């Protein structure tokens, strides 16, 4: 009996101690500092940690080559214009309509491609664009009439609109401090594309005709389609779409190629549900930026293609030192009672176009210096004012050498401005709307491209000064507008969400 009583007392003491311990733990919870939170990092931090290396060189070469294809499709218009004008007895407005239809296709598909790229990925859109543009460009060489030709070139414009999303894909992989150096160098590939199509014009058109020139021009696109398989989807897009595993796989692949390391911890960023929402572009945070950028893109394209087509028109019709062209310059050939300028480019004309193409890369070091010292905004202001200045200088009567130098400088500054506009747009918008933001901007730029031929090719036959003045005026107005852009993106990390 005594033994049972002692055991009961000991059991009661043990239960009381457990209650005291439990109460003590409840009253004194573990300090938050004692719980080790897992380390985490963002895609921006991963990209900066991995640094620049072999992957970025591969990315630069392959995605830069996309500019070769785009340049060839656009510059082809300047080279082929004299040929189709003669073959189908076209008037000035009909030749201008060819360029306009290409840019119309670009404009319509630009926004659509941007939306799809934000919703479903950059890679799919760019790859599809290469295939689409190559297919319809090849079909163009079999055009049996002017109507078929402009329809097929319009379809090519749609494909080129998709390939422009490659700039977004490229920007999202490059560390911040290297963007101002690498992105302007893309002009080298644009120049290569321009030179390649001019060389094809010099060698193929006189012997085999313009149709074979177009067929040969498709070959780089086919090569690029194969090379593009080595480029992964944007890790920034994958994270915004909630595909963390895909983003990790991409980042590990880049780190391995670059012999770099990822930050400690795990990749963690919230999924962005509102991707590709165009309303964001005109929200209070981006309204002024978007409106000014849309006009800046309009002017960038208007001035660039104005310089390209104006030079082609001045050479084709021999309008140097001619202020108001007379009938001799306006009517070069009459076939079946239809006005027709049946005057193909000669070797000197091709040489002038080649030299002017070199102007697109000659001042790249100046472009890089401006981007790093004065920033994106003020680089645009300076380049726009210089563009206006050189457009007016083209009116001055000079020798062919003087005209070539002026054309060289004009192509340099308008090309540099286009570069800066591209860079600023890709940096200022967040990942959730970066592609559709670029899509809207490129669509507005093509409105400028649609108008430029009617001024540079149609109005030029009436008055050289009257044709060049709108380009200079638009550049001056745009320079004033750019000054009021609210955001400077130099050294700024790419935003993930608005």
């Amino acid at each position: 009996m005594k033994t049972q009583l002692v055991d009961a007392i000991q059991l009661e003491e043990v239960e009381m101690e457990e209650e005291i311990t439990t109460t003590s733990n409840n009253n004194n919870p573990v300090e938050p500092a004692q719980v080790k939170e897992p380390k985490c990092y963002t895609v921006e931090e991963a990209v900066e940690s991995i640094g620049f290396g072999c992957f970025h060189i591969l990315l630069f070469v392959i995605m830069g080559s996309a500019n070769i294809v785009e340049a060839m499709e656009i510059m082809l218009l300047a080279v082929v214009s004299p040929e189709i004008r003669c073959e189908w007895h076209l008037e000035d407005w009909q030749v201008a309509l060819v360029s306009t239809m290409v840019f119309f296709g670009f404009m319509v598909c630009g926004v659509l491609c941007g939306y799809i790229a934000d919703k479903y990925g950059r890679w799919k859109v760019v790859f599809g664009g290469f295939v689409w543009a190559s297919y319809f460009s090849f079909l163009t060489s079999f055009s049996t009439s002017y109507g078929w030709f402009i329809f097929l070139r319009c379809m090519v414009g749609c494909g080129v609109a998709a390939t422009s999303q490659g700039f977004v894909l490229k920007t999202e992989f490059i560390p911040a401090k290297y963007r101002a150096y690498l992105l302007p160098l893309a002009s080298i590939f644009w120049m290569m594309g321009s030179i390649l199509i001019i060389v094809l014009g010099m060698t193929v058109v006189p012997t085999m005709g313009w149709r074979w020139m177009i067929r040969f021009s498709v070959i780089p696109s086919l090569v690029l389609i194969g090379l593009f398989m080595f480029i992964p989807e944007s890790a920034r897009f994958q994270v915004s779409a909630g595909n963390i595993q895909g983003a990790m796989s991409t980042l590990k692949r880049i780190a391995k190629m670059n012999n770099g390391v990822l930050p400690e911890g795990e990749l963690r960023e919230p999924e962005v549900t509102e991707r590709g929402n165009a309303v964001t572009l005109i929200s209070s945070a981006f309204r002024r930026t978007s409106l000014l950028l849309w006009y800046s893109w309009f002017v960038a394209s208007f001035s660039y293609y104005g310089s390209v087509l104006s030079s082609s028109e001045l050479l084709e019709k021999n309008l140097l030192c001619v202020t108001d062209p007379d009938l001799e310059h306006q009517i070069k050939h009459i076939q079946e009672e239809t006005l027709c300028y049946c005057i193909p480019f000669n070797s000197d004309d091709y040489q002038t176009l080649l030299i002017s193409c070199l102007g697109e890369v000659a001042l790249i070091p100046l472009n890089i210096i401006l981007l790093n010292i004065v920033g994106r905004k003020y680089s645009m202001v300076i380049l726009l004012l210089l563009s206006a200045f050189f457009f007016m200088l083209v009116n001055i009567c000079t020798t062919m050498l003087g005209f070539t130098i002026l054309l060289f400088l004009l192509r340099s500054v308008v090309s540099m401005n286009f570069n800066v506009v591209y860079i600023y747009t890709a940096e200022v918008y967040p990942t959730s709307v970066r592609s559709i933001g670029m899509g809207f901007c490129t669509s507005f730029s093509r409105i400028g491209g649609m108008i430029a031929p009617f001024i540079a090719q149609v109005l030029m036959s009436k008055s050289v000064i009257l044709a060049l003045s709108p380009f200079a005026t638009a550049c001056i107005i745009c320079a004033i507008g750019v000054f009021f852009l609210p955001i400077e993106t130099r050294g700024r990390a790419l935003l993930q969400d608005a």
Side-chain angles (χ1 to χ4, degrees):
M1 186 71 179
K2 288 182 180 179
T3 303
Q4 293 174 348
L5 183 60
V6 170
D7 290 341
I9 293 171
Q10 290 177 344
L11 179 61
E12 187 176 351
E13 289 176 351
V14 170
E15 290 175 349
M16 290 177 64
E17 288 178 2
E18 289 178 352
E19 289 179 4
I20 292 171
T21 303
T22 303
T23 304
S24 175
N25 289 338
N26 291 336
N27 293 335
N28 299 285
V30 179
E31 296 280 334
Q34 294 175 330
V35 179
K36 292 185 177 180
E37 291 287 340
K39 292 183 178 179
C40 58
Y41 58 88
T42 64
V43 176
E44 180 73 24
E45 292 168 341
V47 169
E48 297 296 333
S49 175
I50 293 171
F52 181 81
C54 295
F55 170 79
H56 294 96
I57 296 174
L58 179 68
L59 176 75
F60 176 73
V61 172
I62 294 177
M63 295 311 303
S65 299
N67 289 341
I68 293 179
V69 174
E70 186 175 352
M72 290 181 70
E73 294 296 348
I74 299 301
M75 285 299 298
L76 181 146
L77 302 175
V79 175
V80 81
S81 290
E83 304 300 323
I84 62 172
R85 186 198 300 267
C86 183
E87 180 170 330
W88 290 316
H89 306 171
L90 304 180
E91 298 183 28
D92 284 342
W93 69 269
Q94 292 175 303
V95 176
L97 187 61
V98 175
S99 301
T100 297
M101 290 303 293
V102 173
F103 294 130
F104 176 76
F106 205 128
M107 179 190 72
V108 172
C109 295
V111 175
L112 178 62
C113 291
Y115 173 78
I116 296 173
D118 275 332
K119 293 290 286 186
Y120 303 106
R122 284 71 159 120
W123 191 94
K124 299 181 183 69
V125 171
V126 179
F127 182 78
F130 284 131
V131 176
W132 180 284
S134 302
Y135 176 69
F136 282 101
S137 184
F138 182 71
L139 288 184
T140 303
S141 67
F142 296 98
S143 299
T144 56
S145 66
Y146 170 72
W148 271 111
F149 185 85
I150 61 173
F151 170 75
L152 292 171
R153 294 313 296 178
C154 180
M155 293 296 100
V156 172
C158 283
V160 175
T163 63
S164 67
Q165 291 296 329
F167 193 87
V168 173
L169 181 62
K170 181 168 55 178
T171 301
E172 292 181 339
F173 277 122
I174 300 176
K177 66 179 180 180
Y178 293 100
R179 289 200 293 264
Y181 296 94
L182 285 179
L183 296 179
L185 290 174
S187 296
I188 295 175
F189 295 96
W190 184 278
M191 177 206 67
M192 291 169 62
S194 299
I195 289 177
L196 185 56
I197 200 68
I198 292 172
V199 170
L200 283 174
M202 293 175 64
T203 56
V204 177
V205 172
T207 56
M208 303 175 70
W210 62 269
R211 297 176 188 276
W212 276 103
M213 180 193 73
I214 293 179
R215 290 164 193 161
F216 285 129
S217 71
V218 175
I219 295 175
S221 297
L222 300 177
V223 174
L224 194 57
I225 288 172
L227 292 176
F228 195 65
M229 304 301 293
F230 294 98
I231 301 298
E233 178 59 89
S234 166
R236 294 181 191 271
F237 166 78
Q238 290 172 320
V239 164
S240 70
N243 185 8
I244 300 295
Q245 291 300 320
M248 278 299 303
S249 175
T250 298
L251 292 172
K252 287 178 180 178
R253 174 184 170 186
I254 298 172
K256 182 178 180 180
M257 290 185 66
N258 287 9
N259 291 323
V261 293
L262 290 169
E264 292 184 12
E266 62 182 23
L267 178 63
R268 185 181 298 175
E269 284 195 46
E271 180 179 353
V272 181
T273 56
E274 286 290 327
R275 301 193 310 276
N277 187 356
V279 176
T280 305
L281 303 178
I282 54 174
S283 65
S284 57
F286 293 105
R287 186 179 300 118
R288 184 166 66 169
T289 298
S290 294
L291 292 175
L292 290 173
L293 271 181
W294 292 342
Y295 182 66
S296 298
W297 275 82
F298 169 86
V299 173
S301 179
F302 183 63
S303 58
Y304 178 82
Y305 295 112
S307 69
V308 172
L309 297 173
S310 294
S311 60
S312 172
E313 197 73 5
L314 287 167
L315 291 171
E316 182 187 348
K317 297 181 181 176
N318 192 26
L319 294 175
L320 298 183
C321 295
V322 178
T323 305
D324 298 307
D326 53 23
L327 290 178
E328 181 184 353
H329 294 90
Q330 294 181 31
I331 304 175
K332 289 296 184 181
H333 201 75
I334 299 179
Q335 294 181 351
E336 300 177 5
E337 299 181 356
T338 301
L339 301 183
C340 177
Y341 303 107
C342 201
I343 307 176
F345 285 147
N346 57 39
S347 58
D348 290 338
D349 295 333
Y350 280 118
Q351 185 177 7
T352 299
L353 290 176
L354 279 173
I355 294 173
S356 68
C357 287
L358 295 175
E360 297 196 13
V361 298
L363 299 183
I364 284 180
L366 175 61
N367 199 1
I368 293 174
I369 291 171
L370 285 174
L371 286 169
N372 283 283
I373 294 180
V374 304
R376 281 54 161 162
K377 277 177 52 178
Y378 295 111
S379 292
M380 284 189 276
V381 172
I382 293 170
L383 294 171
L384 284 164
L385 293 176
L386 286 174
S387 298
F389 176 69
F390 287 119
F391 264 117
M392 296 314 298
L393 281 185
V394 173
N395 287 291
I396 298 176
C397 182
T398 182
T399 62
M400 178 59 78
L401 175 62
F403 174 73
T404 303
I405 293 173
L406 285 176
L407 195 58
F408 179 90
L409 294 173
L410 176 61
R411 286 284 291 275
S412 294
V413 292
V414 296
S415 177
M416 287 163 62
N417 178 60
F418 221 145
N419 263 329
V420 181
V421 173
Y422 255 110
I423 294 170
Y424 182 86
T425 305
E427 291 179 336
V428 76
Y429 287 125
T431 301
S432 58
V433 293
R434 185 169 296 122
S435 284
I436 196 169
M438 183 71 77
F440 266 96
C441 287
T442 54
S443 290
F444 275 93
S445 78
R446 302 316 161 185
I447 297 175
M450 290 165 65
I451 297 172
F454 286 94
I455 295 177
Q457 293 180 305
V458 179
L459 195 58
M460 188 72 73
S461 296
K462 310 300 179 184
S463 171
V464 176
I465 295 177
L466 193 61
L468 294 175
S469 297
F471 299 111
T473 304
C475 289
I476 293 172
I477 295 173
C478 188
I480 297 171
V482 166
F483 184 80
F484 293 100
L485 280 171
I487 302 171
E488 171 56 63
T489 62
R490 180 182 57 172
R492 178 173 174 260
L494 296 182
L495 301 178
Q496 192 69 9
D497 195 11

